Amino acid sequence: MALVVICGQPCSGKSTAAKCLAEALNESECKQTVRIIDETSFHLDRNQSYANMPSEKNLRGVLRSEVDRSVSKDNIIIVDSLNSIKGYRYELWCLARAAGIRYCVLYCDVGESQCRKWNEERREKGKAAYNDMIFEDLVRRFEKPDRRNRWDSPLFELWAYNDGVERSSIAIVDVVLYLTKKADSKSRDVKILQPTIATQNTRFSEANSLYEMDRATQEVINAIVEAQSQSIGGPLASISIGQGLPNIDISRLVGLPELRRLRRTFIKLTGQTSLSGRPPPSDSNSAKRMFVDYLNRELGTIA
């Protein structure tokens, strides 16, 4: 039914706001299931997750994938994270549009000095806190939401330091009203995103790519196992998997467990690459070619 993106500086009260919002929704007339998606759901340490760009990119990929799997017209998803990069908020907005649901941003607007103070207080109490270097880096790179951007609209601002964070906070009440208000021809202030042909085709393309990747890599594994069984311990020649495709060159017997491990790693790496770069191959031959190249590199030979 809806996707709520909570954003703000580190230690600006986002998790408290997410909890209060979830409780307020559950106490309202809302019949949908309310779920919070955050770093702690995946047992991710905040300092390790933001220690460097690859780790941070991986964190965003994990959260985005979980949101993509979870959004539907039967629930309300609250994304409790920094969500500090406008390009990432745009990606989340695209997921909401593809699902055809409501979308809004709840911004915890707290000054840097107060966030810094709250972070120090958490550290003194032995609670999870950012180390100073990571905190300052996150503060510096934070991109404030702008209601003029469609992916930051509608925007609800929560003044956590001045007004506190309660279920009765004005911003949280406004979000609840927005999410639960009946959408009809008279309610112009409630916007339900409509999927476009492009977003629908993208989702179909991604699902088709995963299917082709899974099927093609399994066919390559089957070809290797069959060729090794026919060699009966003798020297292995190049294994052909089809016309126009590279041969698999291995100089030793490779057990099925190792082949399965290599296949899982390849699929995982391909999926991570597609989060920020080109999509995975959508046809069987392209998937086989990529997998064979990967196997030849990992097994120490080049076709």
Side-chain angles (χ1 to χ4, degrees):
M1 178 205 174
L3 175 62
V4 181
V5 174
I6 297 184
C7 74
Q9 297 278 16
C11 281
S12 57
K14 297 183 297 299
S15 295
T16 303
K19 182 180 179 181
C20 289
L21 176 58
E23 292 175 351
L25 284 167
N26 287 325
E27 292 178 357
S28 69
E29 298 179 356
C30 172
K31 298 180 181 180
Q32 284 74 21
T33 301
V34 180
R35 181 189 172 198
I36 298 175
I37 294 178
D38 56 9
E39 289 96 332
T40 57
S41 302
F42 301 93
H43 308 287
L44 298 172
D45 179 81
R46 61 181 62 190
N47 285 310
Q48 292 179 358
S49 298
Y50 293 101
N52 49 57
M53 293 309 296
S55 297
E56 185 175 338
K57 182 179 177 181
N58 180 68
L59 168 64
R60 292 198 298 269
V62 168
L63 295 177
R64 181 190 180 281
S65 296
E66 187 62 25
V67 171
D68 193 16
R69 285 191 292 267
S70 304
V71 289
S72 73
K73 295 183 179 180
D74 300 321
N75 57 28
I76 297 177
I77 300 298
I78 302 172
V79 187
D80 172 23
S81 185
L82 290 177
N83 298 316
S84 57
I85 299 176
K86 60 183 179 182
Y88 183 61
R89 295 197 296 271
Y90 172 73
E91 291 182 11
L92 296 175
W93 177 84
C94 287
L95 294 179
R97 182 177 62 173
I101 59 177
R102 302 186 194 193
Y103 173 92
C104 68
V105 174
L106 177 59
Y107 171 39
C108 294
D109 193 352
V110 179
E112 294 178 14
S113 59
Q114 185 59 44
C115 291
R116 191 175 291 106
K117 181 180 179 181
W118 282 346
N119 187 56
E120 292 173 356
E121 290 176 354
R122 290 183 62 85
R123 185 185 299 127
E124 292 171 358
K125 294 178 182 179
K127 297 182 179 180
Y130 297 94
N131 68 46
D132 293 338
M133 183 178 298
I134 290 178
F135 179 88
E136 297 302 332
D137 178 60
L138 293 175
V139 167
R140 177 181 57 82
R141 293 191 289 113
F142 180 76
E143 296 176 339
K144 185 177 179 179
D146 185 343
R147 66 180 72 252
R148 293 173 296 181
N149 298 327
R150 52 185 175 173
W151 55 86
D152 289 333
S153 177
L155 178 65
F156 300 91
E157 296 182 78
L158 177 64
W159 309 93
Y161 176 64
N162 295 330
D163 303 332
V165 182
E166 304 288 342
R167 282 173 287 180
S168 58
S169 297
I170 295 176
I172 290 180
V173 171
D174 287 345
V175 172
V176 173
L177 290 174
Y178 177 77
L179 296 178
T180 57
K181 187 174 182 179
K182 184 178 180 180
D184 52 36
S185 58
K186 297 180 181 180
S187 56
R188 296 183 177 180
D189 56 333
V190 176
K191 184 178 182 181
I192 298 178
L193 300 178
Q194 298 299 322
T196 63
I197 294 178
T199 55
Q200 290 175 325
N201 286 345
T202 298
R203 279 177 165 250
F204 174 79
S205 176
E206 289 176 353
N208 188 57
S209 296
L210 291 174
Y211 170 77
E212 290 294 342
M213 179 71 70
D214 184 76
R215 186 169 65 92
T217 52
Q218 186 59 55
E219 288 180 2
V220 172
I221 294 297
N222 291 342
I224 296 175
V225 172
E226 182 179 358
Q228 290 187 144
S229 65
Q230 293 176 355
S231 69
I232 317 178
L236 289 171
S238 294
I239 302 173
S240 175
I241 59 172
Q243 186 176 4
L245 296 172
N247 291 338
I248 305 170
D249 294 329
I250 52 179
S251 57
R252 62 179 175 86
L253 287 174
V254 183
L256 186 57
E258 183 178 359
L259 290 172
R260 286 174 174 169
R261 178 183 59 79
L262 290 168
R263 176 174 176 264
R264 287 195 302 267
T265 303
F266 171 76
I267 293 176
K268 182 178 179 180
L269 290 173
T270 305
Q272 290 177 348
T273 302
S274 68
L275 289 174
S276 57
R278 61 183 182 180
S282 58
D283 64 279
S284 180
N285 281 346
S286 296
K288 288 180 180 179
R289 185 175 293 106
M290 288 178 61
F291 187 40
V292 169
D293 289 342
Y294 172 78
L295 288 176
N296 284 333
R297 288 196 305 270
E298 291 299 308
L299 297 174
T301 58
I302 302 297

